Amino acid sequence: MSEKRQHLPTVRLRRLAAELRRLRAASGLTREDVSSKKGINEATLYRIEKARTRPQKRTLIALLDLYEATEEQRSDLLAVQSGSTDQGWLRPYHSELPEEYTAYIGFEAEARTVRNYESLFIPGLAQTESYAHAVIKGVWAAATSKEVEQRVQARMERQALLTKDQPLQLWAIVDEAAIRRTVGGPTVMREQVRHLLQLTESPHITFQVIPFDKGAHAGMPGSFVHMDFPDPADPELVYLDTPAGDLFLESEAEIRRYKSMFEHLQAGALAPNDSADLLAMVVATRD
């Protein structure tokens, strides 16, 4: 595994970074202040606070001393630091996937709830293998066969989160366009919509559709994923997959904005039972 891969952000590393940012702000110190008082390079401190690198133990202790952390905070953050590089979710072939995508897989694997809005695609956690293959090949036109297969394999492995003993809670909302567009041909799409219909029977999966006749709605600017985690101390996360690159948003203002957006989408979409009826109708028209 490359050095770059070793420093992929993890949930624990993000928690450490968020708490160090909070403690510095509570102390009324700028990064420049910290650098002058403790001799820590400003660029290094920036990377620590953005979860881009794990602080050495002596650096963390120096920061906790400066911020006058309580014994409880000190004990908790030192414990987080000692285990913040755990990436047991990585598979050997993940080193060939984009760095941001492997980070996303890791966050998703540790999440409690995923709220996913998609305007044009079936959510990755709900895709059949045939649909995933068709959509990845169609969107990523320059990809080699090997690259397509790696993406498909990763997507199928992610779906194990929905069937584990304590399954991931998934709330997915899609625009009607996602279930109407014929991706991979009629047979592939019929199989895909049937699969969605089966998933709606799972108590930990909620699926809603925003019908065409709803008109303009809050999700039209684009798709997004909002995650929260079992431990309330772990900061929530929003993920955006854009043509310009993948983005992870974690400021309180950004989280509030996307949570509000998802709530508007929930209110504007068909109820889960009505969404299932629409899926059944789509299946019937494709038979």
Side-chain angles (χ1 to χ4, degrees), residues 89-232:
W89 45 267
L90 283 174
R91 301 290 183 269
Y93 72 91
H94 284 178
S95 62
E96 299 182 41
L97 295 173
E99 179 183 8
E100 293 82 1
Y101 186 43
T102 52
Y104 176 84
I105 293 173
F107 293 140
E108 184 182 68
E110 298 188 55
R112 176 183 61 184
T113 305
V114 165
R115 298 171 184 87
N116 185 189
Y117 166 70
E118 293 289 346
S119 56
L120 296 173
F121 304 104
I122 303 301
L125 288 171
Q127 293 180 6
T128 64
E129 186 170 351
S130 297
Y131 179 96
H133 191 280
V135 80
I136 291 170
K137 187 175 181 180
V139 171
W140 198 14
T144 65
S145 296
K146 180 182 178 182
E147 289 170 330
V148 171
E149 292 305 322
Q150 287 174 339
R151 287 292 188 106
V152 172
Q153 184 180 356
R155 195 159 297 181
M156 295 301 102
E157 287 177 354
R158 287 168 49 205
Q159 295 178 9
L161 298 173
L162 300 176
T163 56
K164 63 182 184 177
D165 290 341
Q166 292 185 312
L168 175 71
Q169 302 292 311
L170 173 64
W171 195 310
I173 302 177
V174 302
D175 191 282
E176 187 173 349
I179 63 171
R180 294 288 189 182
R181 182 176 296 279
T182 305
V183 173
T187 300
V188 169
M189 202 61 204
R190 182 167 55 248
E191 176 191 38
Q192 175 61 74
V193 179
R194 280 179 177 162
H195 179 60
L196 279 176
L197 195 54
Q198 292 172 349
L199 290 178
T200 62
E201 299 174 3
S202 301
H204 57 284
I205 297 174
T206 303
F207 186 80
Q208 291 182 269
V209 180
I210 301 177
F212 285 142
D213 61 14
K214 181 64 180 178
H217 60 78
M220 292 180 72
S223 305
F224 63 92
V225 177
H226 168 241
M227 300 181 194
D228 62 35
F229 301 90
D231 191 327

